[in-house]
Amino acid sequence: MKELQLSGRVAVVIGGTSGIGLALTHGLAAAGADVVPVSRRADMVGQAATSVEEMGRKSLRLRADALDRAALQGALDATLKAFGKVDILVNCAGITKRTPTLEVSDDEWDSIIATNLTGTFRASQVFGRAMLEKGYGRIINIASLASFIGLHEVAAYTASKSGVAGLTRALAVEWGPRGVNVNAIAPGVFRTALNTRLLDESGRGQEFLARTPLKRFGRVEELAPACVFLASEGASFVNGEILTVDGGFLASGVNQ
């Protein structure tokens, strides 16, 4: 379907150089978009940009931290200089840490909220301004199962991702009438290089698996089609939605 093609579109993926973010970078490029994967590490930015170019799309090598407004503004300016526009923004930078709530320090709380929630707000504000001036844009945030349910000993992460869900709805209401659709993807449990041991060797991983009706963990590339859809004209009337890709986790009750 041509409505799902992204040829001629320009996407920026904050946190787009590893894990879920890299999978979304590749998915957008495969659908025809020129993609700029942005993160803090120059080596990972270079590798991700090269992989986009090897798919026949254009890219840039831009470093920026979601905590740094000036760096995000610089990334926007460089993208506009190279491509003349930004059509799609994916906010994928995120961190988590498991700590009993009574032991969470102010610094730990502030760091998680700053990256996951304030960083999403900041990037949306910086890139959204350019989209609103053009009268067109797609912003895709990364929510979480924790946007809907409580997860044990990750209070700061749960609060931050609940905030991302609320921010998504608020921006959709404010910016949708001006041509910028704002949605989110809520991944279930996906295997990455950082969580393989947790998933395979802990009771927490066993519980996640037991509560997932498909009886397996997700593969990060399975998130890409949802991102492409929300970025495309196929989602022209989708606004303020949190699209869950979780193998049925949130639908789960009794599984046997």
Side-chain angles (χ1 to χ4, degrees), residues 12 62 71-81 85-86 125-131:
V12 174
L62 303 178
L72 291 171
Q73 184 64 51
L76 170 64
D77 293 344
T79 304
L80 291 177
K81 182 177 180 180
K85 61 177 182 173
V86 176
Q125 193 178 52
V126 169
F127 285 84
R129 189 182 305 277
M131 292 177 174

Side-chain angles (χ1 to χ4, degrees), residues 40 67 92-97 108 110-116 156-157 160-161:
R40 294 175 295 176
L67 303 179
C92 201
I95 59 172
T96 188
K97 184 178 180 183
E108 181 178 321
D110 291 345
S111 176
I112 293 170
I113 297 294
T115 299
N116 296 356
Y157 179 80
S160 72
K161 290 300 186 177

Side-chain angles (χ1 to χ4, degrees), residues 120-194:
T120 295
F121 162 76
R122 185 180 293 113
S124 296
Q125 193 178 52
V126 169
F127 285 84
R129 189 182 305 277
M131 292 177 174
L132 291 165
E133 290 174 355
K134 291 280 190 179
Y136 180 90
R138 299 284 188 266
I139 296 177
I140 303 164
N141 299 324
I142 301 301
S144 167
L145 295 176
S147 300
F148 303 95
I149 60 175
L151 298 178
H152 188 59
E153 294 183 341
V154 285
Y157 179 80
T158 300
S160 72
K161 290 300 186 177
S162 296
V164 168
L167 177 64
T168 298
R169 289 187 285 265
L171 295 182
V173 170
E174 185 175 351
W175 293 353
R178 300 173 61 186
V180 178
N181 292 23
V182 185
N183 295 287
I185 299 169
V189 185
F190 284 76
R191 187 183 298 279
T192 69
L194 296 179

Side-chain angles (χ1 to χ4, degrees), residues 56-71:
R57 308 311 309 165
K58 296 177 182 177
S59 189
L60 298 173
R61 287 153 179 78
L62 303 178
R63 292 178 58 242
D65 190 325
L67 303 179
D68 187 338
R69 179 179 293 275

